[in-house]
Amino acid sequence: MPHHGDPEDDFKKALAQDRARIDSAIERLSGEEPKPERFLLALAGAWGRQVSCLKWLPPVAPTERGVKSAARWVHASNPNVQRTALVALERAGVAARPVLSTIADALTSKEPTARIAAARVLARAAPCPEQAPALRRALSDELFTVRWLAVEALARSGDDHPLAPVLAASRPRLDARLAPYRLDGWLRAVTALGRGASALLPELDELLDRTSQLSQSDTWWHESRFTLERLVRELRATQGDP
């Protein structure tokens, strides 16, 4: 009869191989790798891996050497490499903080996808005051997604720049062509303002009214409306506080 190995031993072996693969990717990215995308994707997959069942490998914790090796490619001439490096750093979360200055520089990239990706990294990593000037400049970016993410990043960093007016001026116009994820991006930025979002109650009320007129068959719209209702309820409650 064929021998079946111990599941725990098989898992440990797979885990060791996985960690060795990531270490190898970091080593390759630290040098002059001509085709870095596959190694950046390996880091993104390992750092952002979700564990939902026992047979999946757990995420690999980002190391400082790992995030620095990925950050080397943020300003690559190939926009696909830029974007892939930034996706990996987004998955690193707060572990990307040692390279946030490099990421903030990408907010001026000519590539729209790179600017969005850089702003998303900064929003997820809770930037330091040193990145505030670059983020404030991004508040006037031509892309509304960059502006929303810059608001979220500045709010998370505790910056005192007036942020509610930026969101009021770039509020999504709801119609049948608007994807719910765009509304969710705006709502994440609103939520990041905390009590400061009270100034946006008129916009939130109007959006709440508009979402009630859209199709009720889309689960995403239901979730967006639930988020809207929760925000309006919480902000009204804070207004009633002494």
Side-chain angles (χ1 to χ4, degrees):
M1 294 180 64
H3 174 71
H4 296 285
D6 186 299
E8 185 175 350
D9 289 341
D10 292 343
F11 175 78
K12 288 179 179 179
K13 181 179 178 181
L15 187 61
Q17 291 174 339
D18 184 58
R19 288 174 175 167
R21 180 176 64 91
I22 299 308
D23 288 343
S24 175
I26 292 171
E27 186 67 31
R28 296 290 292 269
L29 291 169
S30 298
E32 297 304 316
E33 173 58 48
K35 296 182 179 180
E37 291 101 317
R38 60 176 291 196
F39 302 107
L40 290 166
L41 285 171
L43 294 187
W47 290 345
R49 192 157 46 207
Q50 299 296 315
V51 179
S52 63
C53 61
L54 292 176
K55 66 179 181 180
W56 287 12
L57 292 169
V60 174
T63 62
E64 184 170 348
R65 182 168 184 253
V67 297
K68 286 182 176 179
S69 70
R72 292 184 67 244
W73 302 93
V74 165
H75 297 292
S77 58
N78 185 329
N80 291 327
V81 174
Q82 271 190 307
R83 186 171 58 252
T84 309
L86 288 163
V87 167
L89 291 166
E90 180 192 352
R91 300 286 179 83
V94 294
R97 296 192 80 178
V99 297
L100 288 189
S101 294
T102 298
I103 294 165
D105 290 341
L107 291 171
T108 60
S109 172
K110 294 180 180 179
E111 294 294 329
T113 54
R115 299 204 306 277
I116 292 172
R120 186 171 286 119
V121 176
L122 289 160
R124 303 295 178 264
C128 305
E130 289 80 2
Q131 286 85 54
L135 285 165
R136 289 185 178 187
R137 289 191 292 271
L139 294 175
S140 57
D141 193 279
E142 63 180 356
L143 299 176
F144 60 82
T145 304
V146 173
R147 297 198 297 272
W148 297 346
L149 287 164
V151 166
E152 186 179 347
L154 285 166
R156 292 193 65 197
S157 70
D159 192 79
D160 60 0
H161 189 83
L163 299 173
V166 178
L167 296 182
S170 60
R171 183 195 64 184
R173 292 187 176 92
L174 295 188
D175 57 41
R177 295 171 297 175
L178 177 71
Y181 76 85
R182 292 186 178 178
L183 175 58
D184 290 345
W186 187 80
L187 290 174
R188 278 195 301 272
V190 173
T191 301
L193 298 184
R195 290 193 175 199
S198 296
L200 295 167
L201 268 172
E203 286 79 10
L204 290 165
D205 282 329
E206 184 178 343
L207 285 170
L208 193 58
D209 181 63
R210 292 290 303 279
T211 55
S212 66
Q213 302 171 27
L214 297 172
S215 172
Q216 299 298 307
S217 61
D218 194 320
T219 301
W220 277 9
W221 284 123
H222 281 297
E223 293 176 355
S224 296
R225 182 171 173 78
F226 175 80
T227 301
L228 269 168
E229 290 174 340
R230 177 182 55 78
L231 267 173
V232 169
R233 185 169 60 250
E234 291 176 353
L235 290 172
R236 285 177 179 161
T238 60
Q239 284 189 327
D241 288 347

